Amino acid sequence: MVAADTAPKCRIAFAFVPMAGHMNPSFPVARLLASMGHEVHYFTHEVVKKAVESTGAVFHSIADYHSAVSDGRFAADSPIGIFSGLVEEHGLKPTGSNTGHAVLPFSMVSNVALELQLPGTLRFFDEVKPDVLFYDPMILCRDSLFAARLRGVPAVSLLTVAGPGGYADHMTAGVGEEAGRPAAP
């Protein structure tokens, strides 16, 4: 067994939307990896720069890589800027106030969003050259998974949901009626 202080160090990328339930669970992992001497990088939004850097990680703003954000077409300060902008451009209407209600329209524009995100995300991968990716597997970060696969980088998803059945309840509340099923009570 190799001693921890002589073990090879890795370059690790994290890609998460800056939403507490999505991002916060990644911080202890990033903090531990950084404390072990690994090089940790986050690919996310400016609003969480301070929190990211407090883990010992290097912050990379998606606005510096995604031209659809940096050119002002979509909101740089919103974790859903590209998606909500595309929903608006295509005349789609999320219904209700639960975030699950946005899932169906976001799904409808997800391939267009991927087309806009992927070139910048690949540029991030080419610059950072991560050995592994930790990512949020929700639809907003799937560009990172595609980039990892295209660059041959192993990927680990960290999916956080509020307890058993939380995701099903969230999805049913959001898309149940649109999918022809009654919404959850």
Side-chain angles (χ1 to χ4, degrees):
M1 181 178 215
V2 177
D5 59 342
T6 61
K9 303 303 179 197
C10 294
R11 186 174 297 127
I12 303 160
F14 282 74
F16 287 85
V17 293
M19 296 176 182
H22 295 255
M23 179 168 260
N24 288 355
S26 73
F27 288 152
V29 177
R31 191 172 288 111
L32 176 64
L33 291 168
S35 76
M36 295 171 67
H38 297 291
E39 190 179 317
V40 179
H41 297 261
Y42 266 84
F43 184 57
T44 189
H45 297 258
E46 196 75 34
V47 69
V48 291
K49 181 178 181 177
K50 186 175 178 181
V52 163
E53 291 176 340
S54 76
T55 69
V58 178
F59 172 81
H60 300 268
S61 174
I62 64 121
D64 294 339
Y65 292 88
H66 292 165
S67 62
V69 172
S70 61
D71 70 7
R73 180 175 172 192
F74 302 116
D77 60 346
S78 170
I80 60 172
I82 290 176
F83 282 82
S84 58
L86 286 170
V87 165
E88 186 177 323
E89 281 184 7
H90 290 273
L92 302 170
K93 304 276 188 242
T95 58
S97 59
N98 181 299
T99 56
H101 289 280
V103 172
L104 189 60
F106 280 15
S107 296
M108 292 174 168
V109 299
S110 65
N111 288 336
V112 178
L114 181 62
E115 183 179 336
L116 293 169
Q117 294 171 308
L118 195 54
T121 306
L122 286 168
R123 189 164 51 90
F124 166 77
F125 269 73
D126 293 344
E127 289 176 12
V128 172
K129 298 187 182 341
D131 298 306
V132 67
L133 167 71
F134 282 86
Y135 72 102
D136 180 347
M138 302 304 278
I139 196 168
L140 302 173
C141 289
R142 75 185 188 127
D143 56 305
S144 297
L145 175 60
F146 276 78
R149 287 187 175 163
L150 289 167
R151 294 300 186 248
V153 174
V156 179
S157 67
L158 294 176
L159 177 60
T160 57
V161 176
Y167 188 70
D169 290 346
H170 175 74
M171 293 298 290
T172 304
V175 299
E177 293 170 359
E178 292 90 340
R181 295 185 308 275

